[in-house]
Amino acid sequence: MVTRAESAAVTRRALLDAAAELLDLGGPEAVTLREVGARAGVSRGAPYRHFTGKDSLLTTVTTESWQRIAGQIHALRTDPALPAATKLRGALHALIRVGRDQPHLYQMLFRRSGHRPEELGEGLDRVRRQLCGPADDPVADRMRAAGRFQDEFLAIVTDLVGERNTRHYGALLLASAHGIADMELSGHLGTGELRTTADELVDTLVRMVVDAGATT
């Protein structure tokens, strides 16, 4: 016999899956609690029992995506059979692949914090929320998940360039990956004067970082 908690977990999972599908199909504007409920095949009031609103629902979708990507990077980082350069290449491709396959989700992942009242805050208040926010706080959960991804990614970078240079090259690599994903999506790679691919650019980035690490 299915318990009430188990039934609620199944409904919540169906709502999150439906929201992710609608986001992929039409962007954030396509995600409404009514449409999510209809796609999930639940009652009209069910979404409101699990999420306070659309923002809460989309934030949870984003959190799960960060957790999934962080898990992929962790698997790369801890694989003893992979050279450090291969781990970095795989991590960059993992990010670019999301931009390629799920562009609306990708934009949600990198949306600048502070666009909604619950995301405002600076200094110690924001750090406290990230580290100590309650388990049912969607924004705090999202920040923790994104932080886990960043920690895993920077650990890979550290193995190549050393701890002193980690944040500098980590920022360079993430900014470059973001630009590559955006230019690929907009069709600017492989045409006109550029005539290159995301894979070629990633290979160049990895070689640059490997060379930088060899000279430090």
Side-chain angles (χ1 to χ4, degrees):
M1 182 177 178
V2 177
T3 67
R4 181 176 298 181
E6 290 171 335
S7 177
V10 169
T11 298
R12 179 181 172 86
R13 180 73 265 155
L15 291 169
L16 287 168
D17 289 343
E21 292 169 0
L22 287 168
L23 179 63
D24 285 345
L25 290 171
E29 296 77 13
V31 182
T32 66
L33 291 184
R34 176 174 293 184
E35 287 298 321
V36 167
R39 193 174 188 88
V42 299
S43 67
R44 182 171 295 183
Y48 300 90
R49 291 193 291 272
H50 290 269
F51 301 97
T52 58
K54 173 178 174 175
D55 283 347
S56 171
L57 175 58
L58 283 175
T59 298
T60 304
V61 169
T62 305
T63 298
E64 289 195 341
S65 298
W66 273 129
Q67 290 170 339
R68 182 171 59 253
I69 298 168
Q72 293 171 358
I73 307 305
H74 175 78
L76 285 168
R77 182 179 66 80
T78 57
D79 188 339
L82 295 178
T86 301
K87 294 178 182 181
L88 178 58
R89 184 177 293 106
L92 293 170
H93 278 302
L95 273 181
I96 293 171
R97 189 160 51 246
V98 177
R100 178 185 299 149
D101 298 339
Q102 297 176 282
H104 295 299
L105 172 63
Y106 189 81
Q107 292 300 318
M108 293 285 296
L109 290 173
F110 288 97
R111 181 174 54 188
R112 183 168 59 86
S113 297
H115 283 188
R116 298 196 304 270
E118 66 268 27
E119 291 184 312
L120 294 174
E122 299 296 336
L124 292 176
D125 288 341
R126 185 167 181 183
V127 171
R128 189 179 299 111
R129 180 165 199 168
Q130 180 174 354
L131 296 177
C132 307
D136 58 351
D137 182 340
V139 176
D141 289 343
R142 178 183 181 274
M143 293 172 69
R144 282 191 287 263
R148 182 191 169 211
F149 156 77
Q150 180 172 288
D151 290 345
E152 294 287 352
F153 182 81
L154 291 180
I156 292 176
V157 177
T158 298
D159 288 341
L160 285 166
V161 300
E163 189 171 350
R164 184 169 64 90
N165 297 310
T166 293
R167 295 198 175 276
H168 175 77
Y169 282 101
L172 175 64
L173 287 164
L174 289 176
S176 298
H178 190 58
I180 290 169
D182 187 61
M183 291 191 70
E184 182 182 63
L185 184 63
S186 62
H188 286 96
L189 294 182
T191 60
E193 298 296 325
L194 296 179
R195 299 192 181 183
T196 189
T197 67
D199 290 347
E200 291 172 344
L201 292 175
V202 167
D203 286 343
T204 299
L205 283 171
V206 172
R207 285 196 301 268
M208 289 171 59
V209 173
V210 169
D211 290 345
T215 61
T216 56

